[in-house]
């Protein structure tokens, strides 16, 4: 790929899969967004929407995996965009990299915030006199992100072990939660309940309300580019990185459907649950009792913490690679590697600082925080679309790696690009009516700000100094630089 090897290849195939599986994190994703789905489509969209969107996400993952096999580098999306573009390589690479960077930073902040929210929900159940506040949520979020930064700095081997443990935490936690929801509640909904449709979005058009409900699945399935970003630390990356992407999506789709069905059929009083502050927690309390509900909530909180750790690890690799090509302020600093751990420690703390900066507005307004991190999903999926689109535009000139889709490459790729465009539009439409300052969807404004800053920066200075991925020389010259 034209770079000297600075990062140690310590990730096996399972480790590479684990990073994306942990970031997708069905427990975190479903428990965080289930309440929205109950009001935007109800069980019909939660279940059948999950199945349909999972198929589309699998197409996105397969198209990305093909690109990952051809360009297995930490730069991942922005690197492949620069290599696949016929013209304006620097511009394609620049915008893809910044969308990916902002999306990942938003993901780290949002995951930490969700974990802080659920931690306070647990504390409130344990000690009813405790009243969560916005200030406490921000402080707990900051503490979580800093601890995750310390783990990525001083216990790198432990982080790799934790990523492996996280897979079993998720799977065993899923089995425990689903089993208890099957066995313990006195009442379950009838089989036909899965077709029940609800539209409490405030919009009179049921189709629109149902389409909004599809976002539950899309919110959950972000971050599977983590396997791509960890390529330079993965053995046999041309095969193991794409397999990590596909397996993480496939296993998450199946296990997520099982969890979704268990939650849906355990709903008691629909109106009461849908109107509660945390509908999945209310389902656990109603069906299992307070003691078991608190135990299950600890499982979910653990999953969220694992998710945030993996997200931060992936984030730092993108920063490392983007800086290696001179695309960030202070690039020389951020792509340096610790001689002790062989990891980009300074990039870790840049990721921590940027995530904390996104969390700060939550001190004054939850709406402001939501507006900033809302670009997380849109930014990531648009970054996913760019290299896939450029690969399609390149046609037969594209040189696939060992893992490829063969004759299915073009139809799968176009399905992926079209779905990303449609779902991105959905993410930017109003999601509740009446539209007020608190219910307004700020995602398009946040995305416009990101693109405006990137554009001004590009035309002001970046286009003269950034031409896309840098080559450090011929393969033999680069090999001589390895680990120097």
């Amino acid at each position: 790929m034209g770079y000297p090897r600075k990062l140690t290849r310590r990730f096996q195939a399972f480790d590479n899969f684990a990073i994306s599986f942990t970031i997708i994190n069905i427990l975190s994703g479903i428990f965080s967004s289930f309440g929205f789905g109950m009001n935007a489509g109800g069980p019909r969209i939660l279940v059948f929407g999950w199945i349909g969107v999972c198929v589309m996400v699998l197409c996105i993952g397969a198209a990305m995996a093909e690109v990952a096999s051809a360009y297995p580098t930490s730069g991942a999306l922005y690197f492949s965009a620069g290599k696949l573009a016929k013209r304006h390589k620097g511009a394609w690479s620049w915008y893809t990299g910044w969308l990916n960077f902002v999306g990942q930073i938003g993901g780290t902040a949002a995951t930490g915030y969700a974990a802080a929210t659920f931690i306070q929900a647990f504390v409130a159940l344990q000690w009813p006199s405790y009243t969560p506040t916005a200030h406490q949520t921000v402080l707990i979020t900051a503490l979580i992100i800093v601890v995750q930064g310390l783990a990525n700095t001083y216990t790198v081997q432990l982080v790799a072990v934790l990523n492996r443990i996280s897979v079993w935490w998720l799977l065993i936690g899923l089995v425990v939660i689903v089993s208890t929801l099957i066995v313990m509640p006195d009442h379950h909904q009838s089989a036909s309940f899965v077709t029940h449709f609800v539209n409490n979005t405030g919009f009179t058009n049921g189709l629109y309300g149902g389409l909004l409900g599809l976002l539950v699945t899309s919110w959950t399935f972000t971050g599977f580019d983590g396997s791509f970003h960890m390529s330079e630390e993965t053995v046999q990356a041309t095969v193991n990185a794409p397999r990590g992407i596909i397996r993480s999506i496939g296993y998450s789709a199946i296990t997520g459907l099982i969890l979704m069905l268990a939650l849906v059929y355990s709903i008691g009083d629909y109106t009461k649950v849908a109107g509660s502050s945390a509908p999945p927690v209310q389902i656990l309390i109603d069906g299992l009792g307070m003691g078991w509900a608190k135990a299950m909530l600890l499982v979910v909180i653990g999953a969220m913490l694992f998710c945030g750790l993996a997200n931060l690890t992936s984030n730092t690799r993108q920063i490392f690679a983007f800086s290696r090509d001179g695309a960030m302020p202070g690039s020389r600093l951020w792509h340096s590697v610790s001689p002790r751990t062989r990891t980009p420690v300074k990039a870790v703390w840049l990721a921590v600082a940027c995530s904390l900066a996104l969390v700060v507005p939550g001190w004054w307004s939850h709406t402001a925080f939501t507006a900033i991190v809302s670009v997380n999903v849109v930014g990531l999926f648009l970054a996913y679309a760019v290299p896939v689109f450029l690969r399609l535009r390149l046609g037969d000139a594209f040189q696939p790696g060992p893992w490829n889709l063969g004759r299915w490459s073009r139809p799968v790729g176009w399905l992926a690009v079209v779905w990303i465009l449609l779902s991105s539009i959905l993410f930017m439409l109003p999601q509740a009516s009446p539209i007020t300052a608190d219910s307004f969807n700020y995602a398009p404004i946040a995305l416009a700000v990101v693109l405006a800053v990137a554009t001004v920066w590009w035309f002001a200075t970046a286009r003269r100094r950034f031409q896309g991925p840098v080559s450090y020389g011929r393969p033999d010259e680069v090999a001589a630089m390895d680990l120097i």
Side-chain angles (χ1 to χ4, degrees), residues 152-165:
N152 272 282
T153 300
Y154 296 107
T155 57
V156 178
Q157 294 287 359
L158 178 61
V159 169
V161 172
L162 289 174
N163 281 328
R164 296 177 200 137
I165 293 173

Side-chain angles (χ1 to χ4, degrees), residues 70-149:
Y71 302 103
T73 67
S74 295
L77 305 171
Y78 94 83
F79 178 92
S80 54
K83 292 294 184 180
L84 291 167
K86 294 180 180 179
R87 296 184 302 163
H88 309 300
K89 294 179 179 292
W92 282 109
S93 186
W94 174 264
Y95 282 100
T96 305
W98 280 104
L99 283 171
N100 195 200
F101 169 75
V102 171
Q104 288 206 335
I105 289 292
T108 300
T111 304
Y113 197 89
T117 302
F118 273 74
I119 287 172
Q120 292 198 99
F122 173 83
V123 173
L125 291 179
Q126 185 68 28
W127 294 281
S129 61
Y130 177 81
T131 303
T133 66
H135 293 175
Q136 291 163 341
T137 304
V138 169
L139 290 173
I140 295 171
T141 303
L143 178 62
I144 290 170
I145 294 173
V146 169
V147 169
Q148 290 167 345

Side-chain angles (χ1 to χ4, degrees), residues 184-186 266-269 272-273 279-290 293:
M184 294 187 66
D186 295 329
S266 298
I267 296 172
D269 184 334
K272 172 190 172 185
V273 172
V281 177
Q282 190 63 52
I283 292 172
L284 295 177
I285 293 172
D286 292 345
L288 310 180
M290 187 63 73

Side-chain angles (χ1 to χ4, degrees), residues 21-46:
F21 186 71
T22 303
I23 296 174
I24 292 173
N25 208 300
I26 55 162
L27 287 178
S28 175
I30 290 177
F31 269 76
S32 297
S33 59
F34 189 84
F36 178 81
M38 285 190 71
N39 291 298
R44 185 187 303 177
I45 300 300
L46 283 169

Side-chain angles (χ1 to χ4, degrees), residues 179-382:
S179 298
T180 53
L181 285 175
I182 291 173
V183 173
M184 294 187 66
D186 295 329
H187 170 77
H188 288 93
Q189 297 289 347
S190 63
S192 62
F193 184 67
V194 75
T195 62
H196 184 55
F197 183 83
V198 177
N199 178 22
N200 290 333
T201 61
F203 297 104
T204 56
N205 190 310
L207 175 62
Y208 182 70
L211 287 173
L212 290 177
L214 298 178
L215 298 180
V216 170
T217 313
S218 293
W219 271 322
T220 303
F221 280 89
T222 56
F224 49 85
D225 56 317
S227 291
F228 200 168
H229 289 295
M230 301 307 294
S231 295
E232 290 183 39
E233 295 166 79
T234 302
V235 297
Q236 296 181 331
T238 54
V239 174
N240 287 332
R243 284 178 179 171
I245 295 170
I246 294 299
R247 288 171 178 169
S248 64
I249 296 172
Y251 291 146
S252 295
I254 295 169
T255 54
L257 179 61
I258 294 170
L259 177 61
M260 190 72 79
L261 288 169
L263 287 170
V264 164
Y265 280 115
S266 298
I267 296 172
D269 184 334
Y270 198 98
T271 303
K272 172 190 172 185
V273 172
S276 65
S277 58
V281 177
Q282 190 63 52
I283 292 172
L284 295 177
I285 293 172
D286 292 345
L288 310 180
M290 187 63 73
W292 275 99
K294 287 187 287 189
M296 297 303 101
L297 194 53
L298 285 176
V299 173
V300 175
I301 291 169
M304 289 179 171
L305 295 175
F306 280 127
C307 177
L309 180 64
N311 208 321
L312 182 64
T313 303
S314 173
N315 196 178
T316 60
R317 273 42 176 189
Q318 194 270 344
I319 292 172
F320 163 81
F322 211 28
S323 300
R324 182 171 56 185
D325 289 325
M328 299 191 71
S331 287
R332 184 174 298 178
L333 188 67
W334 311 125
H335 79 81
S336 62
V337 172
S338 165
R340 182 181 66 86
T341 62
R342 306 304 306 177
T343 56
V345 170
K346 293 186 174 92
V348 169
W349 290 100
L350 177 61
V352 168
C354 291
S355 298
L356 291 176
L358 293 189
V359 173
V360 168
W363 187 272
W364 298 280
S365 168
H366 177 72
T367 302
F369 170 76
T370 304
I372 293 172
V373 301
S374 62
V375 78
N376 160 232
V377 181
V378 180
L380 281 180
F381 274 102
L382 288 176

Side-chain angles (χ1 to χ4, degrees), residues 383-403:
Y384 296 170
V386 174
V388 175
F389 168 73
L390 294 174
R391 176 264 172 274
L392 293 168
R393 198 175 68 162
L394 200 60
D396 294 335
F398 171 68
Q399 297 181 352
W403 196 101

